Amino acid sequence: TSTDPLVKSVNFIETFMGSQIPEGQKSMMVRMRLGSAEGTLSREQIDAVSQDVISALGEQLNAQLISLG
């Protein structure tokens, strides 16, 4: 779990499995809601929190970010 005060929620959305996903793996979609009572978040703040969450998921679940393009 994230302890960053900018992370308001992280919700599981969906699991994908199929020919596009390597055998023994699955793709999961999550929605992360960020916010601050002090004002609009900057791109740098959003990017830093996002990277922290991605790193934590990698360490805890061996997860990795995939490119959709």
Side-chain angles (χ1 to χ4, degrees):
T1 61
S2 176
T3 58
D4 191 307
L6 298 179
V7 177
K8 302 305 179 191
S9 65
V10 179
N11 300 97
F12 169 79
I13 303 298
E14 191 170 7
T15 298
F16 302 98
M17 298 174 81
S19 60
Q20 322 88 300
I21 308 299
E23 188 174 332
Q25 295 183 5
K26 58 185 166 185
S27 178
M28 298 174 70
M29 180 187 302
V30 296
R31 177 177 295 135
M32 182 171 57
R33 188 171 68 88
L34 307 177
S36 172
E38 297 184 18
T40 302
L41 298 177
S42 69
R43 170 57 48 199
E44 291 78 16
Q45 288 173 298
I46 294 168
D47 289 346
V49 171
S50 297
Q51 189 56 53
D52 288 347
V53 170
I54 292 166
S55 294
L57 289 171
E59 291 171 12
Q60 296 174 22
L61 302 175
N62 198 28
Q64 59 187 18
L65 187 63
I66 61 169
S67 173
L68 299 177

